[in-house]
Amino acid sequence: MINVGEIIKTLRGIVEARIGLIKEEIQEEFLGFLSRLILLVIIGSLLLLVFLFLSLSLAFFLSQLTQSPYLGFLIVALMYLLTVLVLYLSRDSLRLRQRTEGALKNFFSNIKNEKTTDE
């Protein structure tokens, strides 16, 4: 005869195992996302420092060319102001938004691709 208690116990074990697997998958995806985010922040910080030093170098170079202690820095600042103005005016551009979203999706979707190739 069929023992209902054992069937329920078996089903409960299967459900608990499935829940455990799902929790593990979610944890792996979260850790992958978090590691990519940390990497992105580190890369961004280093690029910011590189950009800062290149900007200072350009400002000092332009200051020497113009023989004015402040004009080189003013030119670099105006270049940045122009860049910000162009980005501000193109902020509603669908093409720019699609490219940015595509790049971010590409960067963060590699987690799933790496996971499937590891298995």
Side-chain angles (χ1 to χ4, degrees):
M1 187 169 254
I2 301 175
N3 190 352
V4 177
E6 286 183 31
I7 294 174
I8 292 174
K9 193 175 191 180
T10 304
L11 286 175
R12 181 176 287 159
I14 291 171
V15 169
E16 286 175 357
R18 182 68 179 147
I19 289 173
L21 287 173
I22 291 172
K23 283 181 182 178
E24 196 173 298
E25 286 177 15
I26 290 172
Q27 186 178 15
E28 285 178 18
E29 284 189 32
F30 176 72
L31 289 177
F33 175 79
L34 190 61
S35 67
R36 289 227 179 242
L37 187 63
I38 289 171
L39 180 66
L40 188 64
V41 167
I42 291 171
I43 290 171
S45 300
L46 291 174
L47 281 175
L48 185 66
L49 285 173
V50 167
F51 198 65
L52 174 71
F53 283 112
L54 286 175
S55 298
L56 287 172
S57 298
L58 180 64
F60 280 117
F61 175 73
L62 291 175
S63 291
Q64 281 185 343
L65 275 180
T66 59
Q67 297 179 351
S68 172
Y70 65 89
L71 197 55
F73 288 92
L74 182 63
I75 292 170
V76 171
L78 289 175
M79 286 179 4
Y80 287 141
L81 182 63
L82 181 65
T83 304
V84 167
L85 185 63
V86 167
L87 288 174
Y88 179 76
L89 292 175
S90 65
R91 73 185 183 280
D92 293 329
S93 169
L94 182 62
R95 186 174 171 190
L96 180 65
R97 204 174 326 152
Q98 287 174 342
R99 282 187 177 179
T100 306
E101 288 174 6
L104 288 174
K105 283 180 186 177
N106 236 359
F107 186 79
F108 286 112
S109 71
N110 286 338
I111 298 167
K112 291 181 183 178
N113 293 341
E114 289 174 2
K115 184 179 174 186
T116 56
T117 56
D118 290 342
E119 295 173 352

